[in-house]
Amino acid sequence: MGGMTRLLLLLLWAGVTVGRVVDLQKRIIGGRDCTNTERGYHVFLKINGEPFCSGSLISKDWILTAAHCWEPEENIKAVFGRDPNSKNEVAISDHKIFEDKDAQGKNRSHDIMLLKLTKPATIKHVPLPDCKHQPKKDDEVQIAGYKSSALPGHYNDDSLIDFSKPLQCAKSKVVDCGVFCPPKNSTYVYPHLLCFQDATVDISSGDSGGGLVYHGMIYGVNVLSANATCRGSAKSMDVCEKSYLTWIKTTAGIP
């Protein structure tokens, strides 16, 4: 599968209508430029030089991201920091998906993945969560990604011209997930979700895999925008789910 094809499929996954190549620039909605002290651990994942997903550095060797960002036939590289056009690229040497099967085997329930770097990162990673104090309903959390001028649920070509190089940071609030209906044709069941919503803020397709952060720690891996679901809230995989956190620590060798 080619890089462009992969990008288009990711957009369709997120419930975004693909009209032309500029659609690939749809990203964070309602954000602002991250400051120099924010999100140094953010990762842009690229295929053939094109950004297609995000992630978070959780140790010197491992990136936490969404499982649907994996493409075995492509050369995936990680770019660290707030500039997606940085030349500070590191190749991926291995991947681990939580209880995953291939497309033919189905039963892909957990959209969470670890990527191993070919060489250790020299930047500071984001700490894993303190699950005794995880965010509750109405608590403010932070998300990050590229920039878009669209409002949640209102993607169109006119909204795609307002994108920028710097990483965008935005605030949202934790909400009840309620009854969840996954996107059409999705192979993931999406158990163990942490949901967030704001009238003027949303993630978009290229922001898949980015971290939902609370008090400087990562509590969620973003997988679905509000625009892609029937409940009006964006979705992240809940890192505090015991089986996920144990798997992350064991796989990445984190005490």
Side-chain angles (χ1 to χ4, degrees), residues 26-209:
K26 293 178 179 178
R27 298 294 189 268
I28 276 281
I29 297 164
R32 55 163 177 81
D33 290 359
C34 298
T35 68
N36 291 334
T37 61
E38 293 177 300
R39 294 277 177 162
Y41 51 81
H42 187 88
V43 179
F44 297 98
L45 297 176
K46 290 186 174 183
I47 289 179
N48 300 326
E50 293 285 349
F52 72 103
C53 266
S54 297
S56 301
L57 184 72
I58 61 167
S59 76
K60 62 184 179 64
D61 296 306
W62 291 90
I63 293 166
L64 182 62
T65 185
H68 74 258
C69 292
W70 177 246
E71 176 47 64
E73 298 177 6
E74 300 291 353
N75 180 20
I76 301 176
K77 291 185 176 181
V79 177
F80 299 107
R82 289 168 288 273
D83 181 4
N85 296 308
S86 169
K87 301 302 181 182
N88 182 24
E89 297 183 350
V90 180
I92 302 301
S93 66
D94 196 7
H95 79 290
K96 302 291 182 182
I97 296 176
F98 187 91
E99 296 184 1
D100 185 63
K101 292 185 179 180
D102 61 26
Q104 300 303 317
K106 299 185 182 300
N107 194 32
R108 303 180 72 181
S109 299
H110 307 274
D111 199 353
I112 190 166
M113 173 173 69
L114 287 165
L115 298 176
K116 189 173 185 180
L117 299 169
T118 54
K119 62 180 182 180
T122 57
I123 61 177
K124 186 177 180 180
H125 60 269
V126 62
L128 291 177
D130 173 6
C131 295
K132 293 181 180 178
H133 301 92
Q134 63 189 105
K136 300 179 177 59
K137 183 179 178 181
D138 295 329
D139 282 343
E140 189 174 81
V141 292
Q142 188 194 61
I143 55 176
Y146 280 136
K147 184 176 182 180
S148 172
S149 63
L151 292 175
H154 293 83
Y155 301 132
N156 55 61
D157 286 348
D158 292 337
S159 71
L160 305 179
I161 59 174
D162 184 17
F163 58 88
S164 61
K165 293 181 180 179
L167 181 68
Q168 299 290 294
C169 286
K171 295 178 180 179
S172 189
K173 288 188 176 181
V174 174
V175 297
D176 291 332
C177 291
V179 178
F180 175 56
C181 51
K184 185 178 180 181
N185 299 323
S186 171
T187 57
Y188 289 92
V189 179
Y190 296 98
H192 315 306
L193 290 171
L194 181 62
C195 301
F196 56 99
Q197 185 175 13
D198 185 279
T200 60
V201 169
D202 197 7
I203 57 173
S204 194
S205 53
D207 301 321
S208 290

